[in-house]
Amino acid sequence: MGWYVLVERVKYGEWSLVDKIPVEGGEEKAIARAEETARTRPPWGSTTSDPCGRLVFRTSPTSWLVELTESSWSKGDKSPTTYTEHLNVRVAELVHVQELVLAFSTSHDSSCRGRREALAAPGSRCR
């Protein structure tokens, strides 16, 4: 089905998936793209021209933990503020897809008791 680079970001102690990058060319190309992403992806909300510190740890042959640090001065501060962000960059093969079935309002047709029944009923107006 295809190879992807997945980028996760930690915010308030919780990891969340922030990017799914499709890669053509198989697992080896996905590994190369993931390593490039780990070495070059800018911190959240920054531009690529903003300087930042970066530590890249390869935690397995297909995943990297990235620590990004930025420093900035705010008006009135006596010293710079340093921000740290962590990313997980992983290679993954997509092995299953199930399309979303959109919800709909049953108030438009009183004969529709529920989504399952509505979708199963031949000639149903609830689609």
Side-chain angles (χ1 to χ4, degrees), residues 16 49-50 59:
S16 63
S49 62
D50 292 338
T59 57

Side-chain angles (χ1 to χ4, degrees), residues 4 8 17 28 32 36-37 43-44 49-51 64 67 69 78 82-83 86 97-98 103 107 109-110 112 121:
Y4 283 78
E8 298 171 292
L17 184 63
E28 293 303 315
E36 174 192 347
T37 299
W44 190 260
S49 62
D50 292 338
W64 293 260
E67 181 179 84
T69 54
K78 294 181 183 184
T82 302
Y83 305 94
H86 294 94
V97 175
Q98 182 171 326
S107 63
D109 187 338
S110 62
C112 298

Side-chain angles (χ1 to χ4, degrees), residues 87-107:
L87 303 173
N88 267 324
V89 179
R90 305 169 192 258
V91 173
E93 182 180 15
L94 179 63
V95 296
H96 177 76
V97 175
Q98 182 171 326
E99 295 294 327
L100 172 67
V101 177
L102 294 177
F104 59 90
S105 172
T106 58
S107 63

Side-chain angles (χ1 to χ4, degrees), residues 38-58:
R39 292 174 184 267
T40 61
R41 186 178 181 98
W44 190 260
S46 294
T47 65
T48 55
S49 62
D50 292 338
C52 73
R54 180 182 309 265
L55 297 173
V56 178
F57 300 93
R58 190 171 85 176

Side-chain angles (χ1 to χ4, degrees), residues 4-77:
Y4 283 78
V5 173
L6 305 178
V7 180
E8 298 171 292
R9 177 176 175 246
V10 68
K11 186 174 182 179
Y12 306 118
E14 296 289 325
W15 288 98
S16 63
L17 184 63
V18 295
D19 206 357
K20 296 178 286 206
I21 305 166
V23 179
E24 299 209 11
E27 184 178 14
E28 293 303 315
K29 294 274 186 184
I31 290 171
R33 178 70 186 272
E35 185 168 3
E36 174 192 347
T37 299
R39 292 174 184 267
T40 61
R41 186 178 181 98
W44 190 260
S46 294
T47 65
T48 55
S49 62
D50 292 338
C52 73
R54 180 182 309 265
L55 297 173
V56 178
F57 300 93
R58 190 171 85 176
T59 57
S60 79
T62 60
S63 65
W64 293 260
L65 175 67
V66 182
E67 181 179 84
L68 302 169
T69 54
E70 288 185 288
S71 181
S72 67
W73 283 88
S74 294
K75 203 173 198 176
D77 284 351

